[in-house]
Amino acid sequence: MTVTDELLANAERYAAGFDKGALPLPPARQVAVVACMDARLNPYGLLGLAEGDAHVIRNAGGVITADQLRSLAISQRLLGTTEIILIHHTDCGMLTFTDDDFKESIRQEVGIRPPWAAEAFPDLDEDVRQSVRRVLEDPFIPVKGSVRGFVYEVETGRLREVK
Amino acid sequence: MTVTDELLANAERYAAGFDKGALPLPPARQVAVVACMDARLNPYGLLGLAEGDAHVIRNAGGVITADQLRSLAISQRLLGTTEIILIHHTDCGMLTFTDDDFKESIRQEVGIRPPWAAEAFPDLDEDVRQSVRRVLEDPFIPVKGSVRGFVYEVETGRLREVK
């Protein structure tokens, strides 16, 4: 039995207790959250989000790459979100390596260098600012009146804004 | 007062009740979930995940692009996950448009055609299979013994495996 099988048993319980009915496709709170994939960062618990409230976009680091810009353009243009919340966090794996070392280690094992930038970063607050700036400079995201960046502290559960 | 400000008030309550202490960086359940950003799809509620359990990677459609492959490579190689769960869902926004139409509408408004593929898809189950295959064919993801794809039914709360 895999962990996936165990989680599927949880999904059956979720379906058995499901009482939300058909919620609308556009997010009720008109917010898109972009966050790191980190296991300790739970955007639902942290921000008090319920089913139907917000788009949640996540990747390694919570960094803004072309795919986040694509998702945000779709979120705003087709589904009406107007605010963006970016969340990095303390003790992030992306602080523990460099793109060059990671890609070189893969090349040594696989024989091919990955085509993507790994997007590791040495400075947490500065990378939040970098991500905010990538959003603000993107020509395909139409609404930029509320684009704010935060660091989630995994040790304390606190969310701190980066100015 | 923005919605972001309201959610920040929720975050203060979360921090006030935070009792998890410093959880380990690697996900306890060694699972990475790749899901659509859709507001109605809550991977924590659905799969019974708690803080510390699993990486959660999300974008528009839950499709596998270069950024998901980057995140999965980091998840497995640096943080020890070994199973992958892919989740698309019914009533997805990605079923409602075509890449060409969306990108042309942006070009007409902004004057530039976006450099990314929008990744819209006309067939839900087939796109889950497409995503699974993109993972299985990627040379940089080392562990592929449990890569399974699902459709979450937003109407019923049910999770259905795609074979």
Side-chain angles (χ1 to χ4, degrees), chain B residues 32-95:
Chain B
V33 178
V34 180
C36 182
M37 69 181 180
D38 189 272
R40 298 160 296 180
L41 169 49
N42 171 359
Y44 294 83
L46 176 62
L47 299 174
L49 296 173
E51 281 82 347
D53 277 349
H55 283 146
V56 182
I57 300 162
R58 304 182 68 175
N59 67 9
V63 297
I64 298 292
T65 70
D67 194 59
Q68 276 62 48
L69 296 173
R70 174 187 73 88
S71 297
L72 288 169
I74 290 170
S75 176
Q76 290 199 350
R77 290 177 173 277
L78 300 180
L79 296 164
T81 64
T82 58
E83 298 181 34
I84 298 173
I85 296 174
L86 305 174
I87 307 178
H88 286 32
H89 63 92
T90 54
D91 193 37
C92 186
M94 307 300 285
L95 294 159

Side-chain angles (χ1 to χ4, degrees), chain A residues 11-84:
Chain A
E12 286 188 20
R13 280 190 283 278
Y14 182 80
F18 188 78
D19 59 1
K20 298 171 210 312
L23 294 167
L25 173 52
R29 311 300 299 269
Q30 297 181 282
V31 170
V33 178
V34 180
C36 183
M37 70 181 179
D38 189 271
R40 299 161 295 179
L41 169 51
N42 171 359
Y44 293 83
L46 176 63
L47 299 174
L49 297 172
E51 281 83 345
D53 278 347
H55 283 147
V56 182
I57 301 162
R58 304 182 68 174
N59 67 10
V63 298
I64 297 293
T65 70
D67 194 59
Q68 276 63 47
L69 296 172
R70 174 187 74 88
S71 296
L72 288 169
I74 291 169
S75 175
Q76 290 199 350
R77 290 177 173 276
L78 299 180
L79 295 165
T81 64
T82 57
E83 298 180 35
I84 298 174

Side-chain angles (χ1 to χ4, degrees), chain A residues 78-96:
Chain A
L78 299 180
L79 295 165
T81 64
T82 57
E83 298 180 35
I84 298 174
I85 296 174
L86 305 175
I87 307 178
H88 286 32
H89 63 92
T90 54
D91 194 37
C92 187
M94 308 300 285
L95 294 160
T96 64

Side-chain angles (χ1 to χ4, degrees), chain B residues 1 14 21 33 43 49 54 56 60 65 80 88 107 111 124 133 147 155:
Chain B
M1 183 151 164
Y14 181 80
V33 178
L49 296 173
V56 182
T65 70
H88 286 32
R107 190 197 62 77
L124 188 55
R133 281 196 294 264
V147 181
E155 304 83 2

